[in-house]
Amino acid sequence: MSQARGVKTTRPVKPADSAIRAYHARLAAYGLQGVLHEGAVSSAFENLLAECARRRGWVLIPQLGAPGERRIIPDGTVRDENSLPRGYWEAKDSRDDLRAEIAKKIARGYPIWNTIFEDTQQAILYQNKQSALEADLQSAAAVADLLNRFFSYRPPDIAGFEEAVEEFKQHVPDLARGLNEKIKEAHQSNKRFIAAFESFFHLCQTALNPNIRGEAVDEMLIQHLLTERLIGTIFDKPEFVQQNVIAAEVEKVVTALASQSFSRKDYLKSLDRFYLAIESAARTLPDFTDKQHFLNTVYERFFQGYSVKVADTHGIVYTPQPIVDFMCASVAEVLERDFGKPLSSPDVFIIDPCTGTGNFIVNLLGRMEHRDLPRMYKNQMFANEVMLLPYYIAALNIEHAYYENTGTYEPFEGLCFVDTLDLAEGSQSRLDFMTEANTQRVARQKQAPITVVIGNPPYNMNQQNENDNNKNRKYAVIDRRVSETYAKASKASNKNALSDPYVKFFRWATDRLQGRDGIVAFVSNNSFVDQYAFDGMRKHLLQDFTEIYHLDLHGNVRRNPKLSGTTHNVFGIRVGVGITLAVRKKQAGEPTLNYFRVDEDWRKEEKLSWLIGRRGLGRVRWNVVTPDAKNSWAAIENADEYASFIPIASLSARLTSPGSTAIFKTFSRGIETCRDEWTYSFEVDDLENKVRLLAENYNAEVDRWRRASNPPNIDDFVTSDPMKIKWCSRLKEAFARRVYAKFDKERIRVGLYRPFTKRFVYVDPILTHRRGIFPRALPSPSCEHENQLLWIKSGMDWPFFALTSNHIVDVLPQSGSQCFPFYVYDEDGTSRRENITDWALQLFRERYRSADLQVGRSGAGLKA
């Protein structure tokens, strides 16, 4: 998942800054109360420093350990967006001798490369191990100068890291492309590589995805080559690639690749500076937990910069530590409170099904009784990961955490390189999972009586562009389970959102408990809380569990455009986020739903700080919610009044039109081309040229496919060049049926592309993705003279509007639009009939007490 980052600014702090004024005001208030002790007055400077850090996208963390052999805990540590320390703050009592206190701290080993020592009267800034500035804290100008010097300081390690990151962004894509070319050549001429690759490719098919493409496995090799050095040096474990059961298999293929005139060391030499800078920056971190957070950031940047498709498909956003802490503490709390069991009880079996870099397992290990750790680690804890690099980091993170807690190094045999959702497939029991060792791990996991499922499942939906050839996988068993439960119980007409991976993980986790008492704890996209398509999912969750807690962290930028994903969303994404903890206890009574939402306007830092203060669900003031008729968990403002309104249309009315209780019998979204750049234009000639070219390119692909004897994988066969063809699922369906496209000038129509913006549009059964109701509402230009339709923008991302039009209208971006025609026709333009229901006509007659009210025959409207 991408870690949320604040908006950065490097504007200097001015003496009149509101933060400085607030600082002096607080000190004055303390003075009037006679409060002078450090514990109270230090909060004023802490707030000042925290506010200035926040503006840069940094954070001030109180009482965080600093590097050193002895335990050093400054009053505050300022960290940047990469989790690197940028400076320290130490407060002293104004009655102390500040210089003497500083000398004591330095003697104890406190960091002084960028540190503020202050006592509310004066401050001394140390930089590069020497006094750099003394400031009178009563002077606003002096405070501003102190803050500017503090925040602008860049120690050599940090400066080198930041510059190297920019170099990384520039050079790694080129190196990756170069490696890709060498791999392509090796596929043709390197026999040793071909044999090793085929073996590894088969293992990937069995463990990860039977439909995995060769290009995806090539990407794994590139990822391994570009980052293997970091894994060995930062974790101080150079033997990892030989010891880990998966890394060893990848290394065999890479060794075969390098066997013919390819030196890995020489090829990657241009990245030495980047590697050295990361390694140097990592050495500034005080403990392994900080390194873990830092590596999450580095790998997140790697994926977002190098492999955008992989990042998008798997929703690579690593979980902020306060969320991990809250969820793990809540699980431990519920186990004790509801089941009378400690986290390390002999009958508690835990799995993180999408472990990423292993943070949840590491956190849980730190909460267990020391004497129970060997048993839990070896027998009762499991984790799965489907991506190569996070799998590597998870193995190292978890194994190192166990070493730190026990003093003994043991491989974590509960970690599997496998697609969790595949484990529900019955056929998987006959497959080998990557290696014999990995197979044994998977078999042991499948037999475990899991009682706790915890993690951060992938959050994204589908690929937005068919040309990307980046679809999320289909899973026969889980997809069927979603269909026969969540989808079957839903009253929504459009259930596409139930294809989201996180929905499948909720279904998988519920089934994985296999009827046992247990807990499912996920942080995820929380669209399911109130959106209509998830009504069946909400209903089943309250049937499957006896108590549910949902903490709504907001951050839905699409619903509230005033927010920013980078500043208000805890993951830096556009959809809302929530933490769900679902408890199943057979002896419990009626299901209980507990709901709490943080303030919608809170920024990311405020939300995370609030979570730190709660330390588990016991300190949250939950509201017990009774779901409404639509099973919504979040109360909708004015819902009762809204429900009393006359429905303009409904799915049930459309399906049972004779007894319809809505105004319109039928409706649909606006026209959806999926290739606006090809099928819209302000000029007829331009549109004709574009569509002719599109049809020719498409037909040529059909011919090429037929000549190749119809290879089964169409996605891999057809061109993905959007300058030749813009694909969509409907066009690929026509392709699979070998249906040719034919340009017809009569299909050029006038359309409303945006409100008040007319363009010519080409409407075609093949080249238009979804025509909606328009083949029956406006089947010909002549119908435009007598018919009208109501065009309503739905969804939360645009301001609501309702317009009328006598032209074809566009679906519009972000949630779409709905269209309600007055007349409908047969597709040849004959048999015109009103789309207003008899029920609505009678309702209006009764309301206006006029038997003369009738549907107009010469135009759209109700006439008396």
Side-chain angles (χ1 to χ4, degrees):
M1 289 190 112
S2 186
Q3 191 174 333
R5 295 189 176 90
V7 175
K8 302 177 187 177
T9 176
T10 56
R11 289 196 299 265
V13 180
K14 296 182 179 179
D17 191 286
S18 59
I20 295 179
R21 295 201 306 271
Y23 166 64
H24 284 141
R26 288 190 185 96
L27 287 180
Y30 290 145
L32 290 174
Q33 298 295 324
V35 177
L36 300 174
H37 62 281
E38 176 190 334
V41 296
S42 65
S43 65
F45 197 86
E46 179 180 343
N47 290 336
L48 171 64
L49 208 59
E51 171 60 19
C52 293
R54 183 192 65 77
R55 296 175 186 177
R56 293 174 169 267
W58 299 357
V59 62
L60 174 69
I61 305 175
Q63 304 297 316
L64 181 70
E69 294 182 2
R70 288 173 291 178
R71 188 64 173 160
I72 305 297
I73 305 178
D75 287 322
T77 300
V78 173
R79 275 186 177 176
D80 65 15
E81 68 274 23
N82 298 307
S83 302
L84 294 173
R86 302 302 292 263
Y88 302 94
W89 158 62
E90 184 67 22
K92 304 310 301 177
D93 196 301
S94 58
R95 291 169 294 192
D96 292 334
D97 183 329
L98 183 60
R99 295 184 187 279
E101 292 297 321
I102 292 173
K104 293 179 185 177
K105 295 294 184 183
I106 293 175
R108 288 188 56 197
Y110 267 63
I112 53 173
W113 53 265
N114 189 31
T115 305
I116 295 175
F117 296 92
E118 57 88 18
D119 63 2
T120 74
Q121 301 298 316
Q122 64 174 329
I124 300 177
L125 173 65
Y126 273 74
Q127 289 180 334
N128 200 22
K129 299 184 179 181
Q130 58 186 355
S131 176
L133 177 70
E134 296 186 18
D136 177 4
L137 295 182
Q138 307 305 307
S139 165
V143 173
D145 189 26
L146 172 71
L147 294 170
N148 289 326
R149 290 279 293 273
F150 177 78
F151 281 105
S152 62
Y153 181 73
R154 300 172 73 203
D157 287 340
I158 303 296
F161 171 77
E162 291 180 336
E163 291 168 8
V165 165
E166 292 306 312
E167 186 172 316
F168 171 74
K169 291 178 181 177
Q170 296 171 17
H171 292 293
V172 164
D174 291 333
L175 282 169
R177 280 191 288 270
L179 284 171
N180 194 40
E181 289 302 317
K182 290 186 177 296
I183 290 173
K184 284 182 179 179
E185 294 173 7
H187 278 303
Q188 302 298 320
S189 58
N190 186 336
K191 293 182 179 179
R192 181 181 172 191
F193 171 77
I194 293 170
F197 183 89
E198 283 301 315
S199 175
F200 182 65
F201 182 65
H202 172 70
L203 294 172
C204 289
Q205 286 179 309
T206 59
L208 305 178
N209 184 349
N211 300 317
I212 195 168
R213 296 177 296 115
E215 293 86 347
V217 180
D218 288 345
E219 279 198 355
M220 287 189 198
L221 303 180
I222 295 171
Q223 293 165 16
H224 178 92
L225 277 161
L226 291 175
T227 59
E228 171 261 332
R229 169 176 164 178
L230 292 178
I231 292 171
T233 53
I234 292 180
F235 285 95
D236 193 23
K237 195 168 176 56
E239 69 278 9
F240 172 77
V241 294
Q242 284 79 39
Q243 290 184 346
N244 181 269
V245 296
I246 304 303
E249 292 298 315
V250 179
E251 190 65 20
K252 290 178 185 176
V253 186
V254 170
T255 301
L257 173 66
S259 64
Q260 291 186 1
S261 64
F262 172 62
S263 168
R264 182 191 321 195
K265 182 178 179 181
D266 291 343
Y267 188 81
L268 299 178
K269 194 169 185 179
S270 63
L271 285 180
D272 275 355
R273 184 167 171 272
F274 169 72
Y275 292 142
L276 288 170
I278 285 188
E279 292 154 7
S280 179
R283 283 193 291 272
T284 69
L285 301 174
D287 56 36
F288 189 80
T289 300
D290 297 316
K291 288 185 178 183
Q292 184 183 48
H293 192 181
F294 171 69
L295 275 168
N296 285 352
T297 303
V298 170
Y299 278 93
E300 182 184 304
R301 286 193 176 193
F302 175 84
F303 277 113
Q304 296 294 345
Y306 155 65
S307 191
V308 177
K309 286 185 181 181
V310 173
D312 176 66
T313 302
H314 295 279
I316 294 180
V317 186
Y318 294 112
T319 316
Q321 196 59 42
I323 293 178
V324 177
D325 288 339
F326 179 87
M327 291 174 63
C328 292
S330 297
V331 166
E333 181 181 333
V334 170
L335 283 171
E336 289 276 7
R337 185 195 69 192
D338 292 358
F339 301 103
K341 299 175 182 178
L343 191 59
S344 55
S345 171
D347 54 357
V348 171
F349 288 76
I350 302 169
I351 187 170
D352 180 350
C354 28
T355 199
T357 53
N359 293 350
F360 284 97
I361 298 295
V362 167
N363 193 294
L364 291 170
L365 283 171
R367 296 176 183 276
M368 294 178 180
E369 292 290 338
H370 187 271
R371 65 177 182 273
D372 297 331
L373 278 175
R375 168 174 49 79
M376 293 296 298
Y377 184 78
K378 294 177 183 178
N379 304 319
Q380 293 171 241
M381 301 185 76
F382 303 91
N384 297 333
E385 178 50 46
V386 71
M387 296 180 60
L388 189 65
L389 292 186
Y391 166 84
Y392 285 169
I393 303 303
L396 289 161
N397 275 342
I398 295 168
E399 289 165 5
H400 188 93
Y402 181 75
Y403 171 77
E404 283 198 331
N405 281 284
T406 65
T408 303
Y409 177 81
E410 294 281 351
F412 180 49
E413 296 184 352
L415 178 63
C416 300
F417 188 50
V418 69
D419 187 334
T420 293
L421 298 182
D422 255 344
L423 298 184
E425 309 292 318
S427 61
Q428 290 294 350
S429 61
R430 300 189 300 271
L431 298 177
D432 290 332
F433 286 86
M434 195 58 78
T435 67
E436 182 178 354
N438 200 50
T439 302
Q440 293 171 354
R441 290 182 178 188
V442 172
R444 188 168 65 88
Q445 180 193 123
K446 292 186 72 173
Q447 295 169 3
I450 297 297
T451 52
V452 174
V453 182
I454 185 170
N456 174 1
Y459 65 89
N460 74 321
M461 190 177 170
N462 305 312
Q463 66 178 23
Q464 299 301 309
N465 185 342
E466 191 75 22
N467 286 56
D468 286 344
N469 193 13
N470 192 35
K471 291 187 179 74
N472 290 323
R473 278 200 57 191
K474 300 288 186 182
Y475 302 90
V477 172
I478 290 300
D479 289 348
R480 187 184 70 246
R481 290 288 294 135
V482 170
S483 176
E484 62 191 19
T485 55
Y486 301 163
K488 185 177 181 180
S490 175
K491 297 178 181 178
S493 57
N494 185 345
K495 304 176 186 180
N496 289 341
L498 293 176
S499 297
D500 278 13
Y502 80 92
V503 175
K504 298 180 183 183
F505 270 95
F506 267 103
R507 183 68 266 170
W508 174 87
T510 304
D511 292 345
R512 186 61 182 85
L513 292 179
Q514 297 173 329
R516 288 181 290 271
D517 285 353
I519 301 169
V520 172
F522 280 154
V523 56
S524 70
N525 174 342
N526 71 343
S527 300
F528 71 92
V529 168
D530 58 5
Q531 289 190 11
Y532 193 36
F534 299 93
D535 57 336
M537 177 179 175
R538 293 189 293 268
K539 178 180 179 180
H540 270 275
L541 285 172
L542 282 171
Q543 292 175 350
D544 294 332
F545 295 94
T546 51
E547 191 153 26
I548 292 178
Y549 299 86
H550 184 80
L551 177 58
D552 190 341
L553 296 173
H554 277 298
N556 191 326
V557 180
R558 293 173 177 170
R559 183 169 292 189
N560 185 353
K562 295 179 181 179
L563 304 179
S564 166
T566 55
T567 58
H568 291 80
N569 189 292
V570 291
F571 286 135
I573 57 179
R574 292 176 58 81
V575 296
V577 174
I579 296 171
T580 305
L581 194 139
V583 184
R584 177 189 291 162
K585 187 178 180 184
K586 290 172 186 166
Q587 277 106 15
E590 289 296 313
T592 304
L593 173 61
N594 305 279
Y595 179 82
F596 183 86
R597 60 181 177 184
V598 301
D599 192 295
E600 187 170 9
D601 294 328
W602 278 4
R603 299 171 70 91
K604 173 197 70 173
E605 296 86 359
E606 293 174 287
K607 296 173 184 178
L608 297 181
S609 177
W610 183 87
L611 283 170
I612 293 171
R614 301 289 81 73
R615 300 178 185 175
L617 58 81
R619 296 188 179 184
V620 178
R621 294 182 179 179
W622 298 101
N623 299 307
V624 178
V625 176
T626 301
D628 61 16
K630 296 180 180 179
N631 295 301
S632 292
W633 292 3
I636 300 174
E637 189 175 359
N638 302 320
D640 292 339
E641 181 182 4
Y642 180 80
S644 68
F645 292 166
I646 299 171
I648 189 171
S650 68
L651 177 62
S652 60
R654 183 166 65 182
L655 296 176
T656 59
S657 56
S660 297
T661 54
I663 296 176
F664 293 97
K665 296 176 185 176
T666 189
F667 60 97
S668 79
R669 300 205 304 167
I671 193 170
E672 184 177 6
T673 74
C674 274
R675 51 188 64 83
D676 290 359
E677 64 273 31
W678 286 95
T679 56
Y680 275 102
S681 180
F682 286 111
E683 301 292 337
V684 172
D685 291 344
D686 176 61
L687 179 57
E688 179 176 344
N689 291 335
K690 290 194 298 184
V691 175
R692 284 187 183 277
L693 178 60
L694 174 63
E696 289 172 5
N697 291 342
Y698 165 78
N699 291 339
E701 285 294 281
V702 175
D703 287 335
R704 189 170 68 88
W705 186 58
R706 295 181 70 173
R707 290 194 301 272
S709 300
N710 307 337
N713 195 329
I714 294 175
D715 289 341
D716 285 346
F717 180 85
V718 298
T719 178
S720 60
D721 184 354
M723 301 303 293
K724 292 183 178 180
I725 302 175
K726 179 68 180 299
W727 291 101
C728 65
S729 59
R730 186 175 184 84
L731 190 58
K732 285 187 177 177
E733 289 167 5
F735 185 95
R737 299 195 309 270
R738 294 182 288 185
V739 177
Y740 287 92
K742 180 181 179 182
F743 175 77
D744 183 349
K745 196 163 187 174
E746 295 299 317
R747 290 176 178 159
I748 293 180
R749 303 287 298 278
V750 174
L752 270 181
Y753 182 62
R754 296 291 182 266
F756 315 112
T757 303
K758 289 183 180 180
R759 289 188 182 183
F760 293 103
V761 58
Y762 188 78
V763 184
D764 181 80
I766 296 175
L767 298 179
T768 303
H769 181 59
R770 296 285 184 265
R771 295 180 295 164
I773 201 173
F774 289 98
R776 294 191 298 127
L778 295 170
S780 67
S782 62
C783 298
E784 297 172 358
H785 299 295
E786 61 183 14
N787 202 7
Q788 293 186 40
L789 57 90
L790 183 62
W791 186 28
I792 295 178
K793 177 66 182 80
S794 58
M796 300 290 183
D797 301 329
W798 280 25
F800 174 85
F801 69 71
L803 300 173
T804 59
S805 174
N806 61 341
H807 294 296
I808 292 170
V809 299
D810 186 73
V811 67
L812 300 180
Q814 305 295 350
S815 304
S817 60
Q818 293 290 341
C819 305
F820 309 89
F822 187 78
Y823 293 124
V824 290
Y825 307 77
D826 290 346
E827 290 200 22
D828 61 1
T830 63
S831 186
R832 187 189 76 179
R833 51 205 179 272
E834 293 86 6
N835 192 35
I836 304 295
T837 66
D838 293 339
W839 176 86
L841 179 59
Q842 183 61 32
L843 196 68
F844 277 96
R845 279 177 174 167
E846 292 173 359
R847 173 66 178 82
Y848 294 105
R849 302 180 187 279
S850 173
D852 296 328
L853 193 67
Q854 60 182 349
V855 176
R857 299 296 179 182
S858 60
L862 291 171
K863 294 187 177 181

